[in-house]
């Protein structure tokens, strides 16, 4: 089973660009469908990116996703205070019965 | 408007049983998978399992197989997560979420989430 590893924390100042990585061990993330979820404090998660780099309607284009080899990344440009949240990558693992594997999450602080 | 509305917070004692619910509205409940995700206090997200209400096809994470039961009643657009004997380690927030597909690249993600049900197990 794959394990997705994210940095536990990240930070940036308003207006900066921040990138959060998600690396896979035990498999090639390049062959998996990656999603990114944002969880604001005290709320349910919300999808930011699906199918590696697609944004649902309503998600600002400041958020972008990419995937390459054994890692995926979420980039947030023009950082805003309201972006302070936990961010989770997720990848579909169809090696057994099929399940979503979540990364451990990255807490983003806007300084 | 698509909504998933979960049942309210629960406080239970170890050994007790519990069934929490997730009611969908604003979409055809039988055309989507409904999954359950656990979030223990201060921790990350964990996939528990998922059900397709149209035919009750259910898949469990190996970590939760045998520990919980996922079911659905398509006639009332409601999915359930239940325990037969709770433990203190089941204390967590539980989210239900809708997933358009498990195979299609474009739909294999949770697109709508419930508000969460906090389950506290304490003697």
């Amino acid at each position: 089973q794959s394990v997705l590893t994210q940095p536990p924390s990240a930070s940036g100042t308003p207006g900066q660009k921040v990138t959060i990585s998600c690396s896979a061990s035990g498999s090639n993330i390049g062959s998996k469908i990656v999603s990114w979820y944002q969880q604001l404090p005290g709320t349910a998660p919300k999808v930011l990116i699906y199918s590696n780099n697609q944004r649902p309607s309503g998600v600002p284009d400041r958020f972008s996703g990419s995937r390459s080899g054994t890692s995926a990344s979420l980039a947030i440009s023009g950082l805003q205070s309201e972006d302070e949240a936990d961010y989770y990558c997720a990848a579909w693992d169809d090696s057994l019965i099929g399940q979503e594997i979540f990364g451990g999450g990255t807490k983003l602080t806007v300084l | 408007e698509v909504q998933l509305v979960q049942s309210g917070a629960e406080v239970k004692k170890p050994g007790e049983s519990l069934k929490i619910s997730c009611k969908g509205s604003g979409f055809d409940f039988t055309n989507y998978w409904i999954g359950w995700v656990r979030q223990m206090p201060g921790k990350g997200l964990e996939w528990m399992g998922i059900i397709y209400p149209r035919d009750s096809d259910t898949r469990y994470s190996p970590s939760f197989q045998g520990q919980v039961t996922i079911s659905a009643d398509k006639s009332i657009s409601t999915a359930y997560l239940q325990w037969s004997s709770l433990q203190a380690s089941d204390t967590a927030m539980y989210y239900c979420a809708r997933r358009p597909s498990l195979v299609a690249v474009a739909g294999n993600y949770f697109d709508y989430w419930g508000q969460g049900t906090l389950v506290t197990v304490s003697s």
Side-chain angles (χ1 to χ4, degrees):
Chain A
Q1 178 176 308
S2 299
V3 174
L4 300 181
T5 301
Q6 299 179 235
S9 64
S11 63
T13 56
Q16 267 191 330
K17 179 179 180 178
V18 170
T19 300
I20 298 172
S21 64
C22 172
S23 61
S25 64
S27 69
N28 182 358
I29 203 171
S31 65
K32 301 195 182 301
I33 305 164
V34 177
S35 307
W36 289 89
Y37 298 91
Q38 176 194 57
Q39 187 175 31
L40 295 169
T43 69
K46 162 194 165 184
V47 62
L48 280 182
I49 299 289
Y50 68 94
S51 298
N52 307 315
N53 55 17
Q54 301 298 302
R55 276 188 313 277
S57 60
V59 174
D61 59 7
R62 303 186 295 107
F63 296 91
S64 62
S66 63
R67 183 195 62 173
S68 168
T70 60
S71 69
S73 295
L74 173 71
I76 310 172
S77 59
L79 197 62
Q80 299 179 6
S81 58
E82 55 261 40
D83 298 331
E84 188 160 292
D86 293 323
Y87 292 85
Y88 295 90
C89 64
W92 182 255
D93 184 346
D94 56 8
S95 58
L96 292 171
I97 61 169
Q99 64 172 333
E100 182 114 279
I101 306 297
F102 289 101
T106 298
K107 181 173 181 57
L108 175 63
T109 301
V110 181
L111 302 169
Chain B
E1 179 194 7
V2 172
Q3 283 192 312
L4 292 170
V5 178
Q6 298 185 228
S7 49
E10 301 274 1
V11 179
K12 292 289 191 179
K13 290 181 167 40
E16 292 186 331
S17 62
L18 176 64
K19 191 174 189 177
I20 62 175
S21 66
C22 168
K23 183 172 177 59
S25 62
F27 66 100
D28 185 345
F29 197 72
T30 62
N31 273 349
Y32 292 84
W33 293 82
I34 303 295
W36 289 93
V37 175
R38 182 175 79 173
Q39 187 168 39
M40 300 178 76
K43 302 298 184 183
L45 307 175
E46 299 174 89
W47 166 288
M48 301 179 71
I50 199 163
I51 188 167
Y52 193 61
R54 174 172 295 188
D55 58 8
S56 292
D57 183 2
T58 308
R59 321 280 179 90
Y60 292 94
S61 163
S63 300
F64 292 93
Q65 178 84 49
Q67 309 305 309
V68 296
T69 301
I70 294 171
S71 60
D73 185 342
K74 61 185 179 183
S75 69
I76 55 171
S77 300
T78 301
Y80 302 97
L81 177 66
Q82 68 180 86
W83 295 259
S84 58
S85 179
L86 287 160
Q87 304 174 33
S89 58
D90 293 316
T91 295
M93 181 72 83
Y94 294 88
Y95 294 102
C96 67
R98 188 184 84 161
R99 199 172 190 98
S101 172
L102 299 189
V103 294
V105 172
N108 201 347
Y109 65 101
F110 287 127
D111 61 353
Y112 286 90
W113 294 67
Q115 84 277 17
T117 295
L118 180 62
V119 174
T120 303
V121 184
S122 174
S123 54

